[in-house]
Amino acid sequence: MSFIYLFRHGIAQDREAFADDRQRPLTAHGKEKTRTVAQALHNLGLEGNLILTSPLLRAQQTAEILADCCNHIPIEVVDWLAPEGSFAEWETWFDRHKHLNSLFLVGHEPDLSMWAELMTWGQVSGNVLLKKAGMIGLISDPDKPLKGNCIMFLLVPPKILQDLR
Amino acid sequence: MSFIYLFRHGIAQDREAFADDRQRPLTAHGKEKTRTVAQALHNLGLEGNLILTSPLLRAQQTAEILADCCNHIPIEVVDWLAPEGSFAEWETWFDRHKHLNSLFLVGHEPDLSMWAELMTWGQVSGNVLLKKAGMIGLISDPDKPLKGNCIMFLLVPPKILQDLR
């Protein structure tokens, strides 16, 4: 059984100001909000063996803040978490790492909420709302394929996590 | 647009001690935990126009605590929220009350998580975990049927809500 946490990157700078969308950093406010959320996750006792992140700057910065607040969990950059990423590659990756107890995936919308739907229901409606610096928590069944067999137990906007003691 | 909050009753006394399951009250700990969660919801600024509750004692007690902490929202007892309740009756009820801005439904599992699935995906997998005194938040679209057209934006166990400031 693994806990899988899908974490959306924090608020980033405007698209207009950056010729390369991959280089957009988090805003100062985005960094601060992400740090408050990450600190709350640490206080909740959430632990991770590994953070996988999209290679885009705003996701990598989010992953670094998360690692910084949560016992310096190691970070691994994977191309299949970039926007319009590959669920199939994630399935293959997970199949080789089922022994991990707890895992963060830092990435983008609409991919993350769609992946959560695929893991929980096996199909996508587009009816799950994941805000920036928000998180979805799933539990996988080691004896079954990821698709359609995970339990969704958490869906939280940053507003709630920010207010945690 | 309406906010629909599905709230599961708190921890109740053991089944063995009560000949009539409908009369099982919340335990002292269940009451306290439910009150902490209800207070947190109030602090979050969550408001409701109405609380609909299952007629079973543990649900009614939960609804009363919720009302008590959240500006004394009025409570209405409805039979279709009892265990093995009627989603069709809920659809009919909601169709006549679409003007309500925000609504709590206090009831039982597996009904509530199944209804959340029906509203979000139009079908049920049984893969959503709603703990006692936990909550699911949905947004309905006034121009579409409830089934398969709601947005799920919140799924929180009491552990998280209890820790809110």
Side-chain angles (χ1 to χ4, degrees), chain A residues 117 121 127 129 152 155, chain B residues 117 121 127 129 152 155 163:
Chain A
E117 290 196 70
W121 295 279
N127 286 350
L129 182 65
M152 188 187 285
L155 166 61
Chain B
E117 289 196 70
W121 294 278
N127 285 350
L129 181 66
M152 189 187 284
L155 166 61
D163 283 343

Side-chain angles (χ1 to χ4, degrees), chain B:
Chain B
M1 196 174 88
S2 304
F3 290 89
I4 301 166
Y5 297 105
L6 308 179
F7 195 93
R8 186 177 177 195
H9 67 80
I11 298 164
Q13 290 194 25
D14 283 346
R15 222 167 267 269
E16 291 70 37
F18 289 83
D20 182 0
D21 176 61
R22 301 174 67 91
Q23 291 304 323
R24 281 199 290 137
L26 298 181
T27 63
H29 173 62
K31 280 183 189 169
E32 189 192 324
K33 196 168 174 180
T34 305
R35 186 166 294 275
T36 314
V37 167
Q39 192 61 53
L41 296 179
H42 177 64
N43 294 348
L44 266 178
L46 240 78
E47 290 185 359
N49 305 119
L50 185 63
I51 298 173
L52 297 174
T53 180
S54 143
L56 273 63
L57 184 56
R58 56 192 182 275
Q60 287 205 47
Q61 287 182 333
T62 301
E64 280 157 19
I65 293 170
L66 203 53
D68 199 32
C69 295
C70 301
N71 299 324
H72 301 282
I73 310 170
I75 298 175
E76 198 176 310
V77 179
V78 291
D79 280 337
W80 46 262
L81 269 169
E84 298 182 36
S86 167
F87 185 77
E89 285 192 56
W90 153 236
E91 281 178 302
T92 307
W93 187 97
F94 186 74
D95 213 43
R96 292 196 306 266
H97 297 81
K98 279 187 177 179
H99 58 282
L100 291 174
N101 184 47
S102 176
L103 186 66
F104 284 93
L105 271 66
V106 179
H108 308 267
E109 275 294 276
D111 289 14
L112 291 184
S113 64
M114 281 166 55
W115 291 18
E117 289 196 70
L118 282 173
M119 288 189 263
T120 313
W121 294 278
Q123 52 187 307
V124 172
S125 71
N127 285 350
V128 171
L129 181 66
L130 179 61
K131 296 211 169 188
K132 291 191 181 87
M135 193 172 79
I136 298 174
L138 302 157
I139 302 170
S140 72
D141 182 330
D143 301 322
K144 293 181 184 169
L146 266 183
K147 208 168 174 173
N149 293 302
C150 291
I151 303 292
M152 189 187 284
F153 69 99
L154 196 63
L155 166 61
V156 272
K159 178 174 166 48
I160 287 201
L161 294 169
Q162 276 181 302
D163 283 343
L164 287 172
R165 270 189 287 261

Side-chain angles (χ1 to χ4, degrees), chain A residues 54-69:
Chain A
S54 144
L56 273 62
L57 184 56
R58 56 191 183 276
Q60 288 206 47
Q61 287 182 332
T62 301
E64 280 157 18
I65 293 170
L66 203 54
D68 198 33
C69 295

Side-chain angles (χ1 to χ4, degrees), chain A residues 126-159:
Chain A
N127 286 350
V128 171
L129 182 65
L130 179 61
K131 296 210 169 190
K132 291 192 181 86
M135 193 172 79
I136 298 175
L138 301 157
I139 302 170
S140 73
D141 183 329
D143 301 322
K144 293 181 183 169
L146 265 183
K147 207 168 175 174
N149 293 303
C150 291
I151 302 291
M152 188 187 285
F153 70 98
L154 195 63
L155 166 61
V156 272
K159 180 176 166 46

